[in-house]
Amino acid sequence: MGRALKNRKVQVVLNGGFATVLLAVMVVGGRKFAHSGFALRHADPLLLSGATLLFLIAYAFKAWGWQRLFAGDDRPGASALAFAGGAACVGGVALPGRLDDALRVACVKRYPGVRTSIGAVALSLVVLGLLDNAALAPLSAVAAAHAHTWTVRLGFAVVAGAGILAAALVASLPTIAGRTFVARFRVGRWLAGHTHCNRRAAAALMFISVSWALRATAVFLLFDALSMRSSFPLALAFLCASAASAALPIAPAGAATQAGAGSAILIASGVHAGDAIAFSVAAQVLVVGTGAIVMLLLAGWHLATRSRGVRLVPLPAR
């Protein structure tokens, strides 16, 4: 018992140190860019603070949505899922695309107090990705309607169509898992016991949709903070392009891929290439920075509660 408690404390300290180092790197790097003409140097502080706050709140809603995809007996706390989301976002600076999911699984499993199996976490991530696509469908449809060229319009239409198909697949998973021929296999029986119900999936989709709406609003505020020509459809287009690039099975570092896709859609929308690249880099710095802040806050909360001998209480379920 004492050894397990000691290992848990060591784990919390390591997580806190990891988040602190990442945040320090972000601060030092941000100051360096600020002195060399980085876009955020001239940003409106009030609007920038609002965008940062919205990104932080979006992490909470995404965690609450992800939490709904677990059964009640092995459901992790929302704090564990928010920490995993922040770690995956920060890890996307260096990790190739899709490896951030492996980082999410590792963070959830190593988070104190979590007893969920690796299989359950992996299954929830698959469904979470599908629900992300479903939540992006209406945003992509709006972006397609306001696109300037037919190629961009077609691309967003494909993203919207993929979201509709993803929603249909999520809705049919419980039915598929309950089929008699599926139950003949061991994996099928496990899937039937761990698959979400449509009621929980609908609740998860609601929280995830709110998370994406908050991110879109944050991007819109960031446009205004940098005094760039902006509109809400353009913010949706930037967000959808960045999110769609994250679905690539093999890609360079996730943050770089998303920044490249975001800048490409801005250039296609008539934004000057230099301004588009500067905005995309600034947006990724802000997203990664908020991910590090989430990790730092949760790690500090753990350290505070452990040092006082208070039992850990997860974020409230919604």
Side-chain angles (χ1 to χ4, degrees), residues 22-315:
L22 289 172
L23 186 61
V25 171
M26 291 294 301
V27 172
V28 173
R31 291 181 61 184
K32 181 178 179 180
F33 277 116
H35 290 294
S36 60
F38 185 49
L40 290 179
R41 177 185 179 184
H42 306 289
D44 182 278
L46 183 60
L47 293 175
L48 183 60
S49 299
T52 303
L53 180 61
L54 289 178
F55 276 127
L56 288 172
I57 298 174
Y59 273 100
F61 276 93
K62 185 67 171 290
W64 284 323
W66 187 4
Q67 191 181 34
R68 292 298 178 278
L69 302 178
F70 293 89
D73 295 336
D74 59 353
R75 178 179 292 176
S79 56
L81 303 179
F83 185 90
C89 181
V90 175
V93 174
L95 292 176
R98 312 316 309 164
L99 284 184
D100 56 345
D101 286 338
L103 185 58
R104 284 188 176 95
V105 174
C107 288
V108 172
K109 281 298 296 176
R110 298 294 297 175
Y111 199 84
V114 174
R115 295 183 296 273
T116 310
S117 65
I118 293 179
V121 178
L123 177 62
S124 71
L125 274 175
V126 173
V127 180
L128 180 66
L130 293 172
L131 290 178
D132 272 331
N133 292 335
L136 284 172
L139 307 185
S140 300
V142 174
H146 290 81
H148 296 285
T149 62
W150 70 267
T151 52
V152 175
R153 186 175 294 114
L154 179 61
F156 283 125
V158 170
V159 175
I164 295 173
L165 292 177
L169 179 58
V170 171
S172 62
L173 275 178
T175 303
I176 296 174
R179 295 289 184 182
T180 304
F181 75 91
V182 175
R184 297 176 183 175
F185 304 95
R186 184 176 179 181
V187 175
R189 292 191 295 271
W190 179 89
L191 186 64
H194 291 80
T195 301
H196 60 275
C197 66
N198 284 333
R199 180 176 57 83
R200 286 193 281 118
L205 179 59
M206 180 188 68
F207 282 113
I208 294 169
S209 298
V210 172
S211 176
W212 282 111
L214 289 171
R215 294 183 186 186
T217 307
V219 171
F220 178 71
L221 289 181
L222 188 58
F223 273 123
D224 284 345
L226 297 177
S227 301
M228 293 181 61
R229 178 181 65 84
S230 65
S231 65
F232 204 74
L234 183 61
L236 294 179
F238 176 85
L239 186 67
C240 292
S242 300
S245 68
L248 295 174
I250 299 175
T257 303
Q258 293 178 33
S263 59
I265 201 64
L266 291 181
I267 293 172
S269 300
V271 179
H272 186 270
D275 293 337
I277 294 173
F279 178 83
S280 298
V281 173
Q284 285 303 313
V285 167
L286 193 60
V287 169
V288 175
T290 52
I293 291 173
V294 168
M295 294 179 65
L296 182 62
L297 290 176
L298 291 174
W301 179 47
H302 274 293
L303 288 173
T305 53
R306 292 296 180 186
S307 62
R308 296 177 183 177
V310 180
R311 183 180 178 185
L312 179 65
V313 179
L315 287 176

